[in-house]
Amino acid sequence: MEIGTIEPVGHDVLRPDNVPADRVFDFDIYRDVPEGSTLHHSWRALMDQVAYPVMWTPHNGGHWVVLRGDISDVVMSDSERFSNHTVLVPKETAGEAYRLIPLSLDPPAHQPFRKLLNDNLGPKPLKPVESKIVELTVSLIEGFRPNGQCDFMHEFAEKLPVQIFMQIVDLPIEDLPKLKHLADQFTRPDGSLTYPEVAHLFRDYLMPVIAERRGGSGEDMISRMVNGQVGGRELTDVEAQNICMQVLVGGLDTVVNLLSFTLSWLAQDHDLRRALVADPALIDDALMEFLRRFPVVSSSREVRKDIEFEGVHLKSGDMVMAPTIVVTLDEDNNADPLDFRLGRKARKHSTFGRGSHTCPGAHLARMEMKIVLREWLARIPEFRLADGAELRFTNGIVGSVKPFMLEWDV
Ligand code: HEM
């Protein structure tokens, strides 16, 4: 579609000289998925419609979008050509406000901060958290099981990972709604706050927490990070705020959405659900397939220097969106990618990213997902979407399923 046919609104821009007219398409990452489609079907349809695997949209400040798996992986991981300095669109607003650590740092500056995170999110430091996850999962499920129904997002998905997370960082559970609302504004803004306001409110919240924990002997993740060393020195206040913000944003939204995709799928695929109930040993393989089938993140990179790339001239400062979603949906990576299949021989996906910024929270996320699958299926083996419930989906930097009701017989 030519730029002239797209009604300019908000952050839309005119087509720059380096963008050929036939590379322009009408794509807005923050637009709801059309009724009757799903997040992943709508991305697949987009991949089928476009003439080239690298397209350009005038929305959200104007940016390139990659629609083929191998190219997405290159953009995400080639820090020589594609910088992490800005990872969100629109660049001037969301991108500017989201200069968080370590995601907005390129190597070598990235490594010491990343080490701090790895030290806190690996299997060893998280071992004591496992029993807490089981405990909370069981108590949430048992809380609504006698009702024969639940609002999955609000009564379960939003509670479990975020409550666990609040324990890991040792923040009061009463602050959760405020923090969740702020985290959501980065990835799926509802217009209630501008990006600078979101960053400001986050910093206001974190400043006293960091000040209080500095120099202390707390074992929570924030204490360990703000008292850690980067390249032989302490973190500055701003660095400490930025790394804490990054962990909050990364850990509050993604697992919630992956859980929603997973349970809403199980509510509809009765054969799969019954197979997992009959043989819980299949849960490990099912988890790998859920992770493959339901990537949710669409991050971007900033072009460092003018380059020729996939038949187009990219200019220094151009933004390129490299959705993890297209990696899974590429037929070259997974045959019949929209099919959910146990026992797939080779699964290729970038659900947790690619390259040096690959998600440090992956172990925690997998652990939570596995416990939920096991405990839920053992307690509520038969369930379905509530009568008349039709799933709706939202695109965004982190794609999501809108709240839905599950029901079962009691
Ligand atoms: C299923 C759940 C999750 C998914 C799908 C996911 C996905 C991702 C992806 C795709 C990236 C790379 C982004 C990029 O390169 O632009 C990333 C980075 C990151 N994630 Fe996750 N994530 C999940 C859970 C978590 C959790 C639970 C935490 C924290 C406890 C976390 C913290 C982070 C951080 C701090 C980064 C930045 C790493 C860096 O820049 O080196 N994530 N995640």
Side-chain angles (χ1 to χ4, degrees), residues 147-151 267-268 270 383-391 403-409:
N147 305 341
Q149 59 166 36
C150 79
D151 174 339
Q268 299 169 89
H270 306 296
F383 60 98
R384 53 197 175 267
L385 291 178
D387 260 358
E390 199 195 315
L391 294 177
F404 57 92
M405 295 291 295
L406 293 180
E407 64 181 23
W408 51 91
D409 299 328

Side-chain angles (χ1 to χ4, degrees), residues 16 79 164 203 217 279 317 362 364 410:
S79 61
I164 293 297
R203 287 182 201 286
S217 56
D279 184 2
L364 177 59
V410 282

